[in-house]
Amino acid sequence: MTTDLRTRIARLWDDLTPAERRVAALVRADPDLLLLRTSAEVAAESGTSKATVSRLVRALGFRDAGEVRETLLAARGSGLPWASTRVGDVDERTVEASNLEAAFASLARVDRSALARRIVGAQRVTVVGLRNAHPVALQFRAQLAQVRPDVRLAPVAGQSLGEELADLGPDDVVVVVTIRRHASVVGRLVRHCAAAGADVVVVTDPTGAVLAAPATTVVLCPVDSPSAFDSLAAPMAVVAAVANDVYAASGADGRARVAAVADAYDALDELAAP
């Protein structure tokens, strides 16, 4: 949407009045103006009038400034990177705190102890993370592998999902991490795993709720950010919390595996001395 708005301005530029060009120049440099500022504020910043801002908005093909905001919000909600020169106007810590609060409220609606026991008791755990969800899935798999055996990450680099999911059954737990913009396969993936009888857990942002509907458990983690790219802080915090729940639920077996992993590190001399 940011690119589209700038393209619209470029097409109209020669037909704009000098006052409209002052507004258009500001918007072209920073489309967030029409989202974060009222028409009066945009007018004041450009040294024009509200009527001039309204004329430009209509010339760009929008009914009013409200429709521009709705369109920009929809674009941001789809996960499109959206750079703003006004990030400093928003306290990122406040946004992150809100994301974390909402994510842990969603997690609180889950029976966390039961979820941990299901992950501990599964014959196999497969963690799937596509596109920008991959780092979260990778971290979750690494944490679970410290506590229990047979935790897989799918898909393996350069491979497809089919090989990893061909033999799913009721003894499997599949954790799907998906963040906007979601890969087109996600909805089919969740349905396939559920139809195979697997216990499906989905960690996603609110835009993935419909895709996650067939899952046994869904945790919604907002990824809003005032900067260009989504924040993965909330989903990272949630998977860390669930991994800690799994560790607690694993009891003596989990502690024995942690010790065995540490012994393997030492035997292979893999880690630098502290």
Side-chain angles (χ1 to χ4, degrees), residues 197-230:
D199 183 350
V200 184
V201 179
V202 177
V203 178
T204 185
D205 69 276
T207 66
V210 173
L211 298 174
T216 309
T217 302
V218 180
V219 182
L220 299 179
C221 304
V223 292
D224 297 329
S225 169
S227 56
F229 296 99
D230 289 334

Side-chain angles (χ1 to χ4, degrees), residues 126-130 134 137 152-156 160-161 164-165:
T126 302
V127 184
V128 181
L130 301 169
H134 181 76
R152 303 185 303 186
L153 182 70
V156 175
S160 57
L161 285 165
E164 308 296 337
L165 305 177

Side-chain angles (χ1 to χ4, degrees), residues 82-104:
W82 182 12
S84 170
T85 59
R86 300 183 175 273
V87 172
D89 293 342
V90 181
D91 188 339
E92 294 187 53
R93 294 169 299 180
T94 301
V95 177
E96 291 293 11
S98 177
N99 288 349
L100 288 165
E101 182 178 1
F104 276 89

Side-chain angles (χ1 to χ4, degrees), residues 153-177:
L153 182 70
V156 175
Q159 300 299 307
S160 57
L161 285 165
E163 300 89 345
E164 308 296 337
L165 305 177
D167 56 350
L168 287 179
D171 294 328
D172 285 278
V173 168
V174 179
V175 180
V176 179
V177 185

